[in-house]
Amino acid sequence: MQRFLVPWEIEECQVHATEVLVLGSGIAGLYTALKACEHFEVTVLTKKGIPEGNTIHAQGGIAAALDEEDSPALHYEDTLYAGAGLCEAESVRALVEDGPKRVEELILMGARFDRKDGKLALTKEAAHSRRRILHANGDATGEEIERTLVAQALKAKGIILKEQRFLLDLLQNSKGEVIGALNLNGQTQELEIYLAEAVVLATGGLGQLYCYTTNPAVATGDGMAAAYRAGAPLMDMEFVQFHPTALAISGAPRFLISEAVRGEGAYLLNSRGKRFMENIPGKELAPRDVVARAIWRELTQGKVYLDFRPIGKDRVAKRFPMIYQTCKEYGIDVTQELLPVAPAAHYMMGGVRTDERGRTSLTNLYACGECACNGVHGANRLASNSLLDGLVFGGRIVEEIVNRAKTQGYIKPQTKDISMEPDTYSENAESEVEGVPGDSRARFKGLVARQELQELMWEYVGIIREDEGLKKALKLIEEWDRFFVPMRKPEDLELKNLLTVGKCIAQAALARKESRGGHYRLDYPHTKDEGLEHSIQVRGAKNVGTVPVSGVN
């Protein structure tokens, strides 16, 4: 595997320097930047426009134990239960204990969450034992949080925001320490080097790897792929969360239908009008992987519907205005009609391996949000823990950077420190793979159709998996990856990154011979009781490694 995404030379790059470099502008990136700018000069780079990531699309809300009938201890137990045995106890404890303080900070920054009688209006979602979900403008929580953070970041004196900057690769010195990032300026098409004393990956998820996803177009796994090329381990890549309920109308995108809809009383019905979740523990509010598989099974017999009517007409329009209006635009009035739904790729539980302080295995490199994996979500993320994740571990990363600056100090990197690991880029990549028909070789001279990869992943590395399909998907992805040489244009670069993370997901899914959380093997339907392990993948290693799950205490 090539160390760098495309060939490049230091001499052709514009060089910039900052103290802390944050890659990504969702909740994790912007909150980290805002906390870091109290101590350092911060530069934030984002692939497209500032608010174009996953955060703005979050509907349900943000979970925090703020109610007098709730507690961090209860939130802790709910998170462990949903995580199906793969949660890291210290990470979960950090999430639930730091969470209320971070949410209160967000409110002080100006986030306007919905209230009732002067108190926060809390709702309940799948696998939560208490009503602890804060929401804003009914079902536009992510938009409100992003609005708040963007407004704060734009007026912060210590933050420089740069849009249209595509992360190509992380830069290291001869010791392997991360000293910056190589980016493509989407406005000038020039390469730029950003040197930094600390680099924070907050690049989001990879939902665009699947043909049906709730994620925006920018979610192509760029940060995970860049970290992998630099030598950082990826952890638990087999665990992709498929949201149970996305709009399923021909010609319409898989628009997310929030878990909170079921939390407020909506029912799931099969094609015969029967509530098929009634005999399953938790019913419509069972963990997401359970509900998604139940819907998947029903879809083999006909359509599946979400019935909003038990909520009440007035309540639907007030509590879920965005969902209500969007569905009306597609010809369905959910206060009177059943809404067709189906699962869609939604969230990545795996990612760049970090500890509970956001530290990766590479010195000076930190990661938080969806691109990171510290074990807080285990095998199946608890609803509305994702936004909290970005706040809590973004804040912890800044604490770590500050502490290190006080105890060890930082050395400002220079371009002469950049280690240029030798790469050989083939001019005729298709000649390297034998046994592939000539027409296939010709096709891979150009852009591999993203749709082809997405459909392959959906069919064989999706909600239901088995040995033969995983091997078929892995073989094709490896062939495509070897053939495809990207040009310096976003669609090529994204595709190469999708091939990289797609291969990692397929490899990890093939190696895990059990069913657990978001990973379900038709040929290994049972969950192991002992020897719980995280999967680990490192560039250059032939096999998927493992590390034990820390004991819950």
Side-chain angles (χ1 to χ4, degrees):
M1 180 184 186
Q2 301 289 352
R3 167 62 182 88
F4 296 109
L5 196 52
V6 294
W8 65 287
E9 300 290 341
I10 293 176
E11 293 73 20
E12 67 175 311
C13 302
Q14 291 189 9
V15 180
H16 306 270
T18 188
E19 290 179 320
V20 175
L21 179 64
V22 177
L23 301 165
S25 61
I27 186 172
L30 290 181
Y31 183 80
T32 301
L34 286 166
K35 300 299 287 185
C37 78
E38 298 173 7
H39 310 275
F40 307 101
E41 175 190 84
V42 180
T43 299
V44 177
L45 305 182
T46 191
K47 183 162 74 170
K48 294 291 187 181
I50 291 172
E52 291 190 35
N54 267 333
T55 297
I56 199 170
H57 297 278
Q59 294 175 0
I62 183 168
L66 293 169
D67 189 74
E68 58 187 18
E69 295 184 2
D70 197 6
S71 69
L74 289 171
H75 193 181
Y76 176 84
E77 292 298 329
D78 292 345
T79 300
L80 293 182
Y81 171 70
L86 233 62
C87 291
E88 287 294 322
E90 289 306 311
S91 293
V92 177
R93 189 167 286 112
L95 182 84
V96 301
E97 292 181 355
D98 291 5
K101 178 178 67 175
R102 298 301 184 193
V103 171
E104 288 169 355
E105 282 183 328
L106 201 57
I107 293 171
L108 290 174
M109 288 181 186
R112 299 186 293 263
F113 294 106
D114 295 337
R115 293 178 179 269
K116 183 178 181 180
D117 300 327
K119 295 183 178 181
L120 289 168
L122 303 175
T123 192
K124 188 177 180 182
E125 292 184 346
H128 286 273
S129 61
R130 296 290 188 276
R131 296 178 75 91
R132 65 168 66 98
I133 315 302
L134 293 81
H135 49 85
N137 302 317
D139 55 358
T141 311
E143 186 176 3
E144 173 62 15
I145 291 174
E146 186 75 359
R147 179 201 65 78
T148 302
L149 294 175
V150 169
Q152 292 290 321
L154 288 174
K155 68 182 183 182
K157 293 182 179 179
I159 298 177
I160 298 172
L161 292 163
K162 296 284 186 182
E163 297 180 315
Q164 304 295 325
R165 296 314 197 271
F166 193 111
L167 169 64
L168 294 177
D169 278 295
L170 298 169
L171 302 177
Q172 295 164 282
N173 61 20
S174 59
K175 298 178 182 178
E177 299 168 334
V178 172
I179 57 173
L182 177 69
N183 300 270
L184 176 67
N185 185 323
Q187 297 163 330
T188 66
Q189 304 308 309
E190 295 177 336
L191 296 185
E192 296 178 341
I193 290 171
Y194 280 83
L195 297 172
E197 295 158 42
V199 178
V200 182
L201 275 178
T203 49
L206 44 65
Q208 287 295 319
L209 192 53
Y210 292 89
C211 55
Y212 300 114
T213 181
T214 63
N215 289 188
V218 295
T220 54
D222 306 320
M224 296 179 213
Y228 182 70
R229 287 192 293 271
L234 301 182
M235 187 166 89
D236 291 345
M237 291 296 284
E238 64 269 41
F239 294 105
V240 180
Q241 186 172 79
F242 295 87
H243 197 286
T245 53
L247 182 65
I249 299 175
S250 179
R254 286 290 170 100
F255 176 74
L256 177 67
I257 307 300
S258 171
E259 198 118 33
V261 173
R262 284 172 279 134
E264 293 292 340
Y267 296 149
L268 284 166
L269 305 176
N270 60 22
S271 58
R272 301 181 300 280
K274 181 181 178 182
R275 280 187 70 189
F276 57 89
M277 295 297 298
E278 278 219 280
N279 295 323
I280 295 176
K283 301 182 180 181
E284 276 83 1
L285 292 180
R288 284 179 173 175
D289 63 301
V290 175
V291 182
R293 286 194 296 274
I295 292 174
W296 184 268
R297 286 190 290 269
E298 292 294 334
L299 286 170
T300 64
Q301 305 298 317
K303 290 186 177 182
V304 169
Y305 301 93
L306 192 59
D307 187 357
F308 284 67
R309 294 173 298 183
I311 302 173
K313 183 175 181 179
D314 292 341
R315 178 68 175 158
V316 167
K318 182 178 180 180
R319 178 66 179 83
F320 305 108
M322 184 167 63
I323 294 173
Y324 173 67
Q325 188 57 43
T326 300
C327 292
K328 282 196 74 173
E329 290 172 4
Y330 287 103
I332 296 180
D333 182 346
V334 295
T335 65
Q336 301 181 41
E337 305 170 76
L338 299 179
L339 184 71
V341 294
H346 183 60
Y347 190 87
M348 183 57 172
M349 273 82 71
V352 183
R353 187 188 184 193
T354 75
D355 64 9
E356 70 278 2
R357 309 297 305 181
R359 296 174 293 198
T360 73
S361 66
L362 303 180
T363 302
N364 305 330
L365 179 66
Y366 305 83
C368 58
E370 193 173 349
C371 72
C373 182
N374 53 29
V376 73
H377 303 305
N380 183 41
R381 176 176 65 85
L382 181 66
S384 289
N385 268 357
S386 57
L387 293 175
L388 192 68
D389 177 359
L391 293 178
V392 167
F393 295 102
R396 287 186 147 231
I397 284 171
V398 174
E399 291 172 357
E400 187 65 28
I401 295 173
V402 170
N403 288 338
R404 188 177 166 204
K406 290 178 180 178
T407 58
Q408 300 179 38
Y410 287 95
I411 298 175
K412 291 185 179 297
Q414 302 177 43
T415 53
K416 66 180 179 63
D417 299 324
I418 299 172
S419 176
M420 297 294 288
E421 193 173 314
D423 266 343
T424 302
Y425 294 88
S426 174
E427 294 294 330
N428 192 24
E430 70 269 18
S431 65
E432 297 177 5
V433 181
E434 298 178 357
V436 178
D439 58 345
S440 293
R441 293 201 300 269
R443 178 162 62 86
F444 284 96
K445 286 183 179 180
L447 178 65
V448 181
R450 181 186 293 194
Q451 182 179 351
E452 191 170 356
L453 174 61
Q454 292 170 328
E455 291 174 351
L456 182 78
M457 291 294 295
W458 182 260
E459 183 173 0
Y460 297 117
V461 200
I463 296 172
I464 306 294
R465 303 162 176 179
E466 50 80 32
D467 187 83
E468 184 179 352
L470 288 169
K471 287 179 178 177
K472 178 178 180 179
L474 183 58
K475 182 174 185 289
L476 280 170
I477 293 170
E478 287 177 336
E479 288 177 354
W480 295 349
D481 189 37
R482 290 185 66 184
F483 278 125
F484 182 57
V485 179
M487 303 294 287
R488 290 184 187 177
K489 52 185 182 179
E491 57 267 33
D492 275 25
L493 303 172
E494 288 179 336
L495 180 57
K496 193 67 173 178
N497 287 332
L498 287 170
L499 287 166
T500 298
V501 294
K503 183 171 81 168
C504 288
I505 293 171
Q507 286 176 329
L510 186 61
R512 185 172 289 276
K513 291 177 170 53
E514 66 164 343
S515 292
R516 183 181 298 276
H519 169 71
Y520 186 82
R521 289 282 298 260
L522 195 62
D523 46 353
Y524 294 95
H526 301 295
T527 300
K528 294 180 181 178
D529 295 326
E530 298 179 351
L532 301 182
E533 295 175 322
H534 299 290
S535 65
I536 298 292
Q537 291 164 284
V538 183
R539 174 187 171 224
K542 291 184 178 180
N543 300 317
V544 177
T546 60
V547 294
V549 177
S550 298
V552 175
N553 49 56

